[in-house]
Amino acid sequence: GPGQALSWRILRDPTGLVYYGHGGEVKGTKTRFMNYPEQGVVVAFHFNFGRAQVRTEELEAFARSFFPAPAPR
C-alpha cells in the first residue's frame, strides 16, 4: 500500500527562537509538536476537540516556560 511520511516545518516564535514543528487534525482531535533543539525542550500537545481554535502563540509561550533558566552573569 501507499506509504506516508512525517514532514517538519522550520518555524520562528515571536521571541525569534527557531523550532521544528508539526501538527494536524483527524476525527475531532488536533495535535501540535514543537522541538526547540537549542533549548533542549520538546513539547507535544493533543486536543480532544477538533472544532476549537488552537492559538500557536499560546502553545509557543507554554513551551518556553520549560526552557532552562539563563546562566548567571
Side-chain angles (χ1 to χ4, degrees), residues 8-11 18-22 33-38 43:
W8 296 98
R9 295 181 65 198
I10 300 171
L11 303 159
V18 172
Y19 68 94
Y20 307 107
H22 182 84
F33 183 89
M34 298 172 167
N35 178 3
Y36 286 84
E38 294 296 319
V43 181

Side-chain angles (χ1 to χ4, degrees), residues 12-57:
R12 190 174 300 273
D13 75 10
T15 67
L17 295 172
V18 172
Y19 68 94
Y20 307 107
H22 182 84
E25 302 178 24
V26 66
K27 295 184 181 181
T29 66
K30 291 184 179 188
T31 61
R32 298 292 184 269
F33 183 89
M34 298 172 167
N35 178 3
Y36 286 84
E38 294 296 319
Q39 290 73 28
V41 173
V42 175
V43 181
F45 300 93
H46 183 79
F47 302 95
N48 196 19
F49 49 86
R51 294 180 184 242
Q53 290 285 23
V54 177
R55 294 186 42 145
T56 300
E57 297 83 12

